[in-house]
Amino acid sequence: MIRIIALTSQGLLLAEKLSASLKNASIWFKPHPFGQKVQDAFLAGEKLIFICATGIVVRTLAPVLQNKFQDPPVLVMDEMGKFVIPLLSGHEGGANDWSKEISKLLSAECVITTAKSYFNPVYTVGMGCERDCPIEYLEDLLLDCLSQAKLNLDQIDSIHSISIKSDEVNLICLSEKLNKPFLTWDAETLRTMEPLLSRRSDYVYQVTGVYGVAESAALYGAQQIHNSAPELLLKKQKNPKATCAIARSFSDAG
């Protein structure tokens, strides 16, 4: 569901024009009580387009912000429809790409403020699994993660894991099947990624020496490719026998 929120008569005209070009869009004109309705929609995961000052949006949503992996995309527009600003969840929530689509619909200027938007991303997959995990569990989980991240296999540079999985037969088979390099890293090396993890498992640490295999491996692999700071694109996902995460780093070339 898309909510287009307008606070002025001029903004309402723009909202009506925009709504006519979008599916599943509804208009809220001067909703009351403003803060409560907007916050409830945000927490429900609805995509929001505000036609008003950015300050109003920031002050209203600040109490309910969670993190870039959970918050829905939020755009802000001026009431004349000249500018579209992805305010929240630019990369992870897709607000940057969404703002480009909206700007084309309205012949507006898309104002993207996330610096890395102008760089070239590289994506890496991190995987962990039970010993002798069937390849079906690995492949199905990986493909599901790619779907969640809105990526395809061609965009993935490589698959990474911890060194105790360097001989994991079906991780090797999967990488060969997908024609992707399979690289492993020792626990001490992967622990350098600990501050970037979305969660930490004491149990996994006791078994492997790191607080999360999939996320740590994906992050470290991404860092090595461009020698630049990595970030999680998709936090750890799991099925009964395997875990998977996706990270990326950016090159400033081109």
Side-chain angles (χ1 to χ4, degrees):
M1 171 63 80
I2 299 172
R3 300 286 185 185
I4 306 173
I5 301 152
L7 302 182
T8 66
S9 298
Q10 184 65 42
L12 178 59
L13 292 175
L14 177 60
E16 291 172 341
K17 178 181 179 181
L18 183 56
S19 177
S21 301
L22 298 174
K23 294 181 179 179
N24 300 320
S26 65
I27 298 172
W28 281 353
F29 180 52
K30 296 181 179 179
H32 181 79
F34 178 78
Q36 189 62 58
K37 290 199 71 172
V38 166
Q39 290 175 5
D40 288 347
F42 181 85
L43 290 173
E46 296 180 3
K47 301 169 72 173
L48 305 177
I49 302 175
F50 289 86
I51 304 175
C52 64
T54 55
I56 295 174
V57 183
V58 171
R59 286 191 294 272
T60 301
L61 294 181
V64 292
L65 296 181
Q66 299 178 72
N67 59 63
K68 62 184 181 180
F69 299 106
Q70 294 177 267
D71 295 339
V74 175
L75 308 185
V76 178
M77 299 183 63
D78 64 295
E79 64 179 18
M80 299 307 294
K82 293 183 178 180
F83 302 100
V84 183
I85 304 170
L87 188 67
L88 291 174
S89 297
H91 290 304
E92 285 69 20
N96 286 356
D97 291 336
W98 191 33
S99 66
K100 293 175 185 177
E101 296 173 8
I102 298 298
S103 64
K104 289 180 180 179
L105 288 175
L106 299 174
S107 298
E109 181 177 349
C110 181
V111 183
I112 295 178
T113 58
T114 48
K116 290 178 180 177
S117 299
Y118 304 104
F119 295 178
N120 293 327
V122 62
Y123 302 98
T124 51
V125 168
M127 299 197 78
C129 64
E130 295 180 358
R131 179 59 68 181
D132 299 322
C133 177
I135 193 170
E136 293 81 7
Y137 282 85
L138 296 168
E139 185 171 10
D140 288 350
L141 180 59
L142 173 54
L143 294 179
D144 180 64
C145 287
L146 291 177
S147 177
Q148 290 187 53
K150 299 179 181 178
L151 297 174
N152 59 57
L153 275 171
D154 291 339
Q155 293 172 279
I156 298 301
D157 178 87
S158 44
I159 299 173
H160 300 258
S161 192
I162 194 168
S163 57
I164 58 175
K165 291 296 177 183
S166 62
D167 62 346
E168 188 68 47
V169 173
N170 284 325
L171 272 176
I172 296 170
C173 289
L174 178 64
S175 65
E176 291 176 348
K177 177 179 180 180
L178 302 180
N179 194 29
K180 302 294 179 183
F182 176 56
L183 304 171
T184 60
W185 313 94
D186 62 57
E188 182 179 2
T189 297
L190 294 184
R191 282 199 295 271
T192 62
M193 297 293 103
E194 183 180 333
L196 301 178
L197 301 182
S198 71
R199 66 187 74 175
R200 293 166 179 79
S201 169
D202 291 333
Y203 172 76
V204 173
Y205 187 87
Q206 292 173 4
V207 174
T208 67
V210 298
Y211 284 102
V213 171
E215 290 186 356
S216 298
L219 286 162
Y220 191 77
Q223 177 181 273
Q224 295 312 293
I225 294 170
H226 282 154
N227 194 28
S228 61
E231 62 183 21
L232 277 176
L233 177 64
L234 184 71
K235 62 185 180 181
K236 183 184 75 174
Q237 307 295 306
K238 63 182 181 178
N239 61 27
K241 294 184 179 293
T243 59
C244 182
I246 301 176
R248 66 182 170 192
S249 61
F250 295 83
S251 166
D252 58 4

